Amino acid sequence: MYRNFYNIFWVKAHNNNFFNDIADHFAKVATTNGVEVGVPAPRSYVMKILQNKLIEDWESLFSNSDTGLRVKSFFPKPSLDINPYSSYVTQFLTNHGPFVSYLHRFKLKATPNCLCASVGDADHYVFACPSD
């Protein structure tokens, strides 16, 4: 499968980077000789087009992936509106956190079960566990 990756990064000046040197050259030519500016769209429009393309690529990767099935059960498609800043939300969604079943995978707990004898995963503690 072909994947699109987008990177925007800063390049240190004057470090003999070929493409950076070319960009510097044309920037100097533009400042001395002037340049005809014909911008077809405002920056905000270009940023929106890029954002839509990134979301489209993200949706494609997300829907074709076999991983993250638990997250997909809560959020069937990716969205920029969903941004869980809380580590607790992330732990719940991924089922990776201080849950007995997760700690048992790494042999940090002897059993994957909660005190009530059910499997102690995130769903159990949030939705079903009778223990306090």
Side-chain angles (χ1 to χ4, degrees):
M1 172 172 51
Y2 177 74
R3 294 182 182 198
N4 292 323
F5 292 97
Y6 304 91
N7 292 316
I8 298 174
F9 53 90
W10 174 78
V11 176
K12 183 178 179 183
H14 310 295
N15 67 344
N16 295 324
N17 179 309
F18 176 73
F19 294 105
N20 191 41
D21 292 342
I22 290 174
D24 285 346
H25 167 74
F26 285 114
K28 288 175 188 171
V29 168
T31 58
T32 57
N33 299 341
V35 64
E36 186 176 321
V37 179
V39 178
R43 181 179 185 275
S44 60
Y45 175 77
V46 173
M47 294 303 288
K48 187 66 176 172
I49 295 295
L50 284 174
Q51 183 182 45
N52 289 342
K53 179 64 175 151
L54 287 169
I55 291 173
E56 181 183 306
D57 291 348
W58 181 19
E59 286 177 349
S60 175
L61 290 171
F62 188 77
S63 63
N64 294 325
S65 173
D66 294 332
T67 60
L69 297 177
R70 178 175 167 74
V71 175
K72 287 180 189 180
S73 69
F74 291 99
F75 304 109
K77 71 185 262 188
S79 169
L80 294 177
D81 297 333
I82 304 163
N83 194 355
Y85 290 106
S86 169
S87 62
Y88 299 114
V89 173
T90 302
Q91 289 174 358
F92 172 76
L93 290 174
T94 61
N95 210 9
H96 294 178
F99 309 114
V100 179
S101 62
Y102 182 70
L103 297 174
H104 177 70
R105 289 175 50 191
F106 301 102
K107 300 186 181 2
L108 297 173
K109 293 288 182 180
T111 176
N113 295 335
C114 175
L115 294 175
C116 67
S118 296
V119 175
D121 61 2
D123 286 338
H124 170 72
Y125 288 116
V126 172
F127 301 118
C129 188
S131 302
D132 289 329

